[in-house]
Amino acid sequence: MDFPELIEARNDVMMGKPCLKGTRIPVYLILEKLAAGETNQDILAAYPQLKAEHVRACLEYAARLAADEIVLAN
């Protein structure tokens, strides 16, 4: 899967987990915060180096993973 433009995975950063480009902030952390009810504004206030585009890139990444997932029905 190709990553959205603002996401990268590097072996030397967070053990290769997908992170927001140029940061050590893993995508899963932003997704967990959104799932817990935090707003974009909450996240951007906590991480001032991020922009709204970063949060959208995390959602795009999650959507791509879900679209590619295959579930075998019983």
Side-chain angles (χ1 to χ4, degrees), residues 22-65:
T23 76
R24 297 179 60 81
I25 302 169
V27 171
Y28 77 82
L29 178 66
I30 302 302
L31 294 172
E32 284 179 346
K33 289 181 173 294
L34 290 169
E38 291 191 36
T39 65
N40 283 10
Q41 292 77 16
D42 295 333
I43 294 168
L44 297 177
Y47 301 95
Q49 69 270 42
L50 299 184
K51 297 181 180 171
E53 295 82 27
H54 290 100
V55 178
R56 282 195 298 274
C58 292
L59 291 171
E60 180 183 349
Y61 176 77
R64 288 183 187 184
L65 283 178

Side-chain angles (χ1 to χ4, degrees), residues 5-23:
E5 184 178 333
L6 294 174
I7 295 176
E8 65 182 353
R10 295 179 32 201
N11 290 335
D12 61 334
V13 177
M14 297 299 292
M15 296 176 20
K17 291 194 179 296
C19 292
L20 293 166
K21 234 178 222 181
T23 76

